Amino acid sequence: MGILNTTPDSFSDGGLFCSVSTAVDHAARMIAEGADILDIGGESTRPGASPVSADEEMERVIPVIEAVSQRFSATISIDTSKAEVMESAVYAGAGMINDVRALTEAGALEAAAKLAVPVCLMHMQGQPETMQEKPEYSDVTAEVRKFLSQRVDQCLQAGINMSNLMLDPGFGFGKTQKQNFRLLNELDDIRISGLPILAGLSRKSVIGQTLGIEVNERVYASIALALLAMRNGANILRVHDVRETCEAIRMVEAVVIEKL
Ligand code: 7PM
């Protein structure tokens, strides 16, 4: 899964065409580099970020989803927590929902059930504004698993098909460096009923905390974490650097397949 840049704050007078065409170019590049899924989001879920209205979110993502889905057959994932945005995005061509709030917002469970597309359920402790202030768990892996298990149950009750669910521990979302490490080492323990696991570690602050390097210098460390996640059970990797990650994965897979 490649993370598609959507450049917000550039939508007034003529900024729209520019940001759509930039997004289309970025999508084309990531697909050529090996991405099967493109994740498009209009709300910043960064720690400390402030909330965005549904209208604002849709203004940002819908034109991009339309343009990308008209041109490419890769699956488009809509990164949102809002039912309205999910519906418009799927109508515009998105084929998957990526919700960092695991369908907990009003109407989201019902929307996902009606839309009947795959959904990624992610764990987060707290809200983006404050989640990194004081993350606390007695057993982070057990608690993440328990939360995801409850969300899976809610999804099934709402009429969402099991085969449309995937799980994500939410690296960096209300977790300390140590808690992130533990989740990565124990990644396969969050798997419920054999569901696929999605891991997002690309360029995250856990790398900055360990190596003391800036976001744009985190490519090599991101690849290391991606490979480790894959070895520990991840089925989908959410990444910025598609070519680099795909080459590394293909190389590891070529070796590992010989063990079968
Ligand atoms: C700080 C924390 C800055 C997180 C940026 C981010 C994930 C996601 C994001 C993830 C799923 C980023 C993120 N991370 N969706 N959205 N899983 N499913 O690195 O780990 O872009 S936002």
Side-chain angles (χ1 to χ4, degrees), residues 45-47 79 98 100 120 122 168 173 198 200 202 204 238:
T45 35
R46 237 165 271 287
D79 184 343
N98 174 25
V100 300
C120 178
M122 200 196 78
D168 184 335
F173 286 84
L198 188 154
S202 186
K204 281 193 177 170
R238 183 180 179 276

Side-chain angles (χ1 to χ4, degrees), residues 1-222:
M1 171 187 273
I3 303 164
L4 192 74
N5 295 329
T6 46
T7 35
D9 312 319
S10 59
F11 283 85
S12 50
D13 54 282
L16 187 67
F17 174 74
C18 183
S19 59
V20 170
S21 89
T22 303
V24 167
D25 290 350
H26 187 210
R29 177 174 160 179
M30 290 198 294
I31 291 164
E33 292 179 344
D36 299 315
I37 306 170
L38 303 173
D39 193 38
I40 303 181
E43 183 205 19
S44 181
T45 35
R46 237 165 271 287
S50 41
V52 163
S53 76
D55 284 345
E56 253 179 288
E57 237 184 281
M58 287 195 278
E59 266 174 46
R60 289 179 189 176
V61 296
I62 301 302
V64 175
I65 293 170
E66 285 173 349
V68 172
S69 72
Q70 281 164 23
R71 287 168 179 79
F72 312 108
S73 61
T75 296
I76 296 170
S77 157
I78 173 67
D79 184 343
T80 191
S81 299
K82 297 189 184 78
E84 275 180 271
V85 180
M86 291 170 190
E87 292 199 22
S88 306
V90 170
Y91 188 74
M96 173 179 163
I97 296 165
N98 174 25
D99 185 0
V100 300
R101 293 180 186 79
L103 306 180
T104 55
E105 299 269 286
L109 274 171
E110 295 76 11
K114 184 177 96 178
L115 297 167
V117 295
V119 182
C120 178
L121 302 171
M122 200 196 78
H123 174 274
M124 166 161 56
Q125 184 177 87
Q127 287 297 312
E129 296 89 323
T130 52
M131 65 189 177
Q132 287 306 99
E133 280 171 14
K134 204 174 189 297
E136 258 182 345
Y137 303 87
S138 59
D139 179 338
V140 67
T141 307
E143 283 172 55
V144 167
R145 184 190 162 86
K146 185 173 179 204
F147 169 82
L148 292 173
S149 165
Q150 287 168 347
R151 294 314 299 159
V152 168
D153 290 344
Q154 290 298 304
C155 285
L156 297 177
Q157 270 190 43
I160 296 171
N161 205 306
M162 190 72 164
S163 63
N164 270 338
L165 294 176
M166 56 196 100
L167 310 168
D168 184 335
F171 290 108
F173 286 84
K175 282 113 187 161
T176 63
Q177 182 191 32
K178 229 179 123 180
Q179 289 157 356
N180 285 309
F181 286 177
R182 198 174 162 115
L183 274 172
L184 181 52
N185 282 320
E186 298 172 357
L187 188 61
D188 209 58
D189 296 346
I190 71 156
R191 196 185 310 277
I192 295 148
S193 309
L195 290 175
I197 294 173
L198 188 154
L201 289 150
S202 186
R203 301 189 190 176
K204 281 193 177 170
S205 59
V206 68
I207 298 169
Q209 288 159 1
T210 308
L211 302 179
I213 56 180
E214 292 306 313
V215 172
N216 292 332
E217 266 89 60
R218 296 178 188 168
V219 179
Y220 312 107
S222 296

